[in-house]
Amino acid sequence: KYFCNEYVCDTMCNNQFALLNRLYNCTVYISKISGRFDVNHRRYKCLQCGKMLCTSEPVVIIQSGFWPGSIKDMTYVFDKELFLFWDILQKQLPGVSEGAFLKSLELFSKRKGRVATVNATAFRVSFKEWKYCQFELDKLRCIDWMECPSCSQHQHSVHVDGNMKLYRFKSAGIRKRECYYGETFVVSNEKVDSHIHKVYQGSKQRVLWGGRWQSGAAATTGEEVEHINSHFSRLGSSTKHMLPEGREELLTEHSFHWNRRKIERLPGSLAKRYATV
């Protein structure tokens, strides 16, 4: 068995381990794209430094390409490829049901003659933690998908619009924790109310006319923001049943996806426009 020696062993070993025994009284439920698998944890020994390792240790789980359902309990483990697949599917099909996705995994397992149940709570919590980990890794790489490379330094203009389809039912529940991403995308209601108060009540900040009435102002087709609203509106079927923190995290992650796609397409878009001109 091979692990990443940089994190598993105390020294730079040759990365080879020998299987000592299976822990038959220590079961782990692994969820992959091909469904659920029930296996036993195992204990290994490094052939060079002699260090004893067990697959129930979080560092071994993560270095082996999986993500624990809980940092304290390695009973439920999820394949990172499963998380990546669900993340891509979620962004390509806004509003897709997580429950329906997990049900598909369960049916696949059942068709293959395996135990079908996938722990939905463990999947939901660990997926959010994995997504936030990707966000922190991007920060370490100095990648900020909320910063546009073409206008972040000298912004030319801004378009203000609202989307009334992303409401949330009060019956969905009250906030239990803070959003993982803070106010990266969605700011607090208090700040929004304060800003609105300044705009409509303050004598100096009051908006008297739109930008199109100013001399020399240009206009757009108006479709750019509608494309964004069209994408986010499809999330309404899911966000209205979410807790506040879950809703904010989902909207923030979709904003990352939208901006990333836009930034990655900028070179081709500019080249096409230059060719047209």
Side-chain angles (χ1 to χ4, degrees):
K1 181 65 178 179
Y2 296 90
F3 297 105
C4 178
N5 56 32
E6 183 179 354
Y7 297 98
V8 174
C9 287
D10 298 326
T11 59
M12 297 300 292
C13 301
N14 57 12
N15 214 19
Q16 293 187 357
F17 293 79
L19 173 64
L20 294 182
N21 62 311
R22 293 181 176 87
L23 306 179
Y24 292 101
N25 61 340
C26 190
T27 305
V28 56
Y29 309 115
I30 302 177
S31 296
K32 306 177 66 175
I33 296 179
S34 51
R36 167 175 160 170
F37 296 84
D38 296 2
V39 298
N40 298 113
H41 279 296
R42 301 183 179 188
R43 184 180 289 111
Y44 294 88
K45 179 180 180 180
C46 178
L47 296 179
Q48 184 169 342
C49 70
K51 183 174 182 178
M52 307 293 291
L53 298 170
C54 182
T55 56
S56 61
E57 298 177 16
V59 65
V60 177
I61 289 290
I62 294 176
Q63 289 300 315
S64 299
F66 299 93
W67 194 266
S70 171
I71 196 63
K72 297 181 179 180
D73 186 3
M74 299 298 112
T75 302
Y76 295 98
V77 172
F78 300 93
D79 189 356
K80 293 180 184 178
E81 296 295 324
L82 173 63
F83 282 167
L84 179 60
F85 180 82
W86 169 237
D87 183 41
I88 294 174
L89 181 66
Q90 193 181 52
K91 302 306 183 297
Q92 296 300 315
L93 299 173
V96 63
S97 170
E98 182 182 279
F101 175 72
L102 295 180
K103 189 65 176 179
S104 300
L105 294 180
E106 293 178 345
L107 291 175
F108 191 93
S109 299
K110 186 177 181 180
R111 294 286 181 89
K112 294 295 183 178
R114 301 191 300 268
V115 177
T117 305
V118 176
N119 191 313
T121 302
F123 177 88
R124 185 180 306 110
V125 172
S126 56
F127 176 73
K128 290 179 180 295
E129 293 174 347
W130 177 79
K131 282 295 299 178
Y132 180 65
C133 180
Q134 308 311 304
F135 172 72
E136 289 294 332
L137 289 175
D138 281 343
K139 289 172 62 177
L140 292 176
R141 302 186 190 106
C142 297
I143 298 175
D144 185 0
W145 298 115
M146 299 301 292
E147 183 176 287
C148 178
S150 62
C151 62
S152 59
Q153 298 297 324
H154 304 286
Q155 185 173 347
H156 176 269
S157 58
V158 62
H159 179 89
V160 180
D161 200 355
N163 191 326
M164 305 301 293
K165 297 181 180 179
L166 296 176
Y167 56 87
R168 193 186 71 85
F169 292 141
K170 289 184 178 180
S171 59
I174 61 175
R175 184 182 298 274
K176 297 182 179 179
R177 59 172 175 81
E178 294 300 319
C179 172
Y180 279 134
Y181 306 103
E183 296 186 351
T184 303
F185 181 64
V186 181
V187 299
S188 64
N189 292 334
E190 292 75 14
K191 289 186 177 180
V192 174
D193 293 340
S194 175
H195 177 73
I196 294 177
H197 177 76
K198 289 181 180 179
V199 170
Y200 290 101
Q201 300 298 327
S203 58
K204 294 183 179 180
Q205 293 85 2
R206 181 174 297 178
V207 177
L208 300 179
W209 55 78
R212 67 183 305 163
W213 297 105
Q214 298 181 17
S215 176
T220 67
T221 61
E223 290 298 317
E224 290 83 355
V225 177
E226 295 305 322
H227 291 165
I228 301 174
N229 286 339
S230 176
H231 176 89
F232 276 81
S233 293
R234 295 160 66 186
L235 297 172
S237 59
S238 301
T239 57
K240 62 184 179 183
H241 300 294
M242 290 182 171
L243 293 176
E245 59 271 24
R247 172 180 174 272
E248 293 169 7
E249 288 162 2
L250 182 65
L251 295 177
T252 301
E253 290 168 4
H254 274 264
S255 71
F256 291 156
H257 167 73
W258 183 274
N259 291 343
R260 177 173 184 169
R261 186 178 64 172
K262 179 189 68 175
I263 292 172
E264 291 176 345
R265 291 180 177 180
L266 274 178
S269 177
L270 289 174
K272 185 182 297 184
R273 289 177 181 270
Y274 282 135
T276 303
V277 174

